[in-house]
């Protein structure tokens, strides 16, 4: 069994980054909120524990704590920010509030050599780190010594080497601590002694066995969205159970140019996976007629997606009580492309497991009447790991590496009412934009790029004629995980070339603009 690092989440907004850094070391990690950390610690039997940061104050009554067993088990523990403070408090030290708050860039002075710093930080040197704390440790527990300090944190890095307890006041998981990934690597490799055996090849083998054990001789249906997540899930499941899987591709008419044909060709021709292709574009466009509110669009698309999907599921094998086909047993399982961030968010501090159909995120939920068990083979993976698994499974790079595409499709890239004419204009313009990005060799440097048909028309002159046509917006962003994003810095020659092609080749557009705003979490898409 693969060695595991348990990350106890105290509510930090960057806890996911800790898990990503550990996995980048080739070591498997799981995040569990402090409320169920006891159960997770007993079940997972981790070889090391990391305590995350968090917004609470250790000095307040009822503030979160780590399970006592973590400190008595004899395994290595790393505390980060709040994790350092609760470690100190629980082991007999002292934490006080309001001591010279430290937010943002700070500089660490290394006092003593430590296995945490081996190979990159030496005593007597200073290094940039990222701080975010108002409280600080003011007295160390017995057995601890100071390893490094900062201007406002006299115990910035501390350790009890005998018990393998280490704690840092700063955040090594963020990119603003340039050597933070090396520190985490040293903790899992040099201190905890874990091997780099977390690979997609190993994950593939283990997950195939799990799928086979879960499904047995049962039938599985999988809703394809045209995106990477559902495609990788489907190919992995098909490798495990073959024709016991049937994929349903609900074509809502809101895909990018040529994408519906790509999906059908990939699954029917390349992988020979049983596929039901439902062209429901007229149904969706009729339902969206006159709808301009973005949330109503999502709900409308979600409702009809579920209705169409459920109707097809009945035909395949009585998934919700209908009569199965002549040679098909009832489908008992629904496959979803649920990812690890979805799991983390759904079991965090605010609620229980999500039943959202992840392949159409933010557009609807799975009706209880379908009464199906879920198969979620990607639920332990981050997005970049899903892409790596897709490559391991042999999916074409052009498909695996494609930019994220929202479940509601082009509906949220046309602010205002959706019409077939607007969709045709946007598809053509978007295809030209992406074509020029690929020709310039920039596609893989951009996390997501797309065109938006704005609800604005302007007067223009083209040749000897006067026009009154649409304004098209272009967006391209860089991001690590889609949580936050910054605009991509195209040069003006590129933007001029794209704008000229769009205006010349797409009837209905006479002006092109580029969005240069950065986006906080959740607002990468336009609407």
């Amino acid at each position: 069994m693969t060695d595991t690092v348990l990350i106890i989440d105290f509510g930090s907004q960057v806890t996911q980054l800790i898990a990503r850094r550990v996995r980048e070391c080739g070591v498997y990690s799981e995040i569990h909120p402090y409320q169920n950390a006891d159960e997770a610690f007993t079940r997972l039997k981790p070889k090391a524990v990391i305590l995350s940061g968090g917004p609470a104050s250790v000095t307040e009554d009822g503030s979160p704590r780590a399970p006592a067993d973590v400190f008595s088990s004899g395994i290595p523990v790393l505390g980060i920010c709040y994790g350092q403070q609760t470690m100190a408090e629980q082991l007999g030290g002292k934490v006080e509030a309001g001591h010279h708050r430290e937010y943002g860039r700070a500089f660490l002075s290394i006092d003593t050599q430590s296995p945490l710093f081996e190979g990159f930080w030496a005593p007597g040197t200073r290094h940039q780190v990222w701080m975010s704390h108002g409280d600080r440790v003011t007295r160390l527990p017995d057995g601890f010594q100071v390893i490094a300090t900062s201007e406002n944190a006299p115990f910035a890095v501390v350790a009890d080497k005998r018990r393998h307890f280490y704690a840092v006041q700063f955040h090594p998981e963020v990119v603003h601590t340039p050597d933070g990934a090396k520190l985490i690597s040293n903790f899992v490799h040099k201190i905890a002694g874990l091997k780099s055996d977390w690979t997609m090849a190993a994950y593939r083998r283990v997950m195939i066995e799990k799928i086979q054990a879960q499904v047995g001789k049962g039938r599985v249906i999988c809703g394809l969205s045209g995106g990477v997540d559902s495609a990788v899930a489907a190919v992995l499941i098909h490798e495990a159970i073959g024709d016991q899987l049937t994929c349903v591709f609900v074509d809502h008419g809101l895909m990018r140019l040529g994408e519906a044909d790509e999906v059908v060709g990939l699954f029917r021709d390349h992988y020979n996976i049983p596929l039901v292709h439902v062209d429901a574009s007229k149904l969706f466009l009729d339902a969206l007629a006159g709808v301009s509110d973005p949330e109503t669009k999502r709900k409308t698309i979600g409702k009809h997606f579920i209705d169409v999907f459920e109707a097809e599921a009945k035909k395949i094998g009585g998934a919700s009580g209908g009569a199965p086909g002549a040679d098909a047993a009832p489908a008992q399982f629904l496959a979803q492309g649920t990812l690890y961030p979805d799991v983390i968010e759904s079991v965090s501090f605010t609620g229980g497991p999500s039943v959202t159909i992840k392949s159409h995120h933010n557009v609807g939920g799975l009706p209880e009447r379908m009464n199906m068990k879920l198969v979620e083979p990607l639920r332990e993976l981050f997005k970049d790991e899903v892409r790596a698994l897709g490559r391991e499974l042999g999916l074409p790079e052009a498909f695996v590496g494609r930019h994220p595409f929202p479940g509601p499709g082009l509906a949220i890239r046309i602010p205002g009412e959706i019409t077939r004419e607007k969709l045709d204009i946007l598809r053509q313009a978007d295809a030209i934009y992406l074509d020029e990005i690929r020709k310039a060799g920039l596609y893989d440097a951009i996390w997501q790029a797309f065109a938006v048909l704005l609800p604005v028309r302007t007067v223009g002159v083209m040749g000897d004629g006067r026009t009154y046509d649409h304004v098209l917006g272009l967006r391209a962003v860089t991001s690590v995980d889609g949580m936050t994003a910054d605009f991509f810095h195209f040069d003006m020659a590129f933007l001029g070339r794209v704008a000229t092609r769009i205006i010349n080749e797409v009837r209905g557009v006479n002006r092109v603009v580029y969005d240069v705003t950065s986006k906080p979490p959740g607002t990468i898409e336009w609407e």
Side-chain angles (χ1 to χ4, degrees), residues 51 141 289 423 465 500:
L51 311 177
L423 285 167
T500 298

Side-chain angles (χ1 to χ4, degrees), residues 69-113:
D69 288 349
V70 166
F71 300 114
S72 62
S73 63
I75 65 174
V77 183
L78 173 65
I80 295 174
C81 197
Y82 182 93
Q84 182 201 52
Q85 295 165 11
T86 194
M87 178 189 288
E89 184 82 9
Q90 289 182 245
L91 296 176
K94 186 172 181 59
V95 176
E96 295 183 6
H99 274 279
H100 303 289
R101 295 186 304 170
E102 214 170 12
Y103 294 99
R105 186 180 292 106
F107 288 89
L108 201 68
S109 295
I110 310 301
D111 298 335
T112 304
Q113 184 57 268

Side-chain angles (χ1 to χ4, degrees), residues 29 101 139 249 253 297 312 335 444 493 527:
S29 63
R101 295 186 304 170
R139 189 183 72 236
F249 174 39
K297 286 182 191 177
E312 293 302 319
D444 292 338
E527 285 196 347

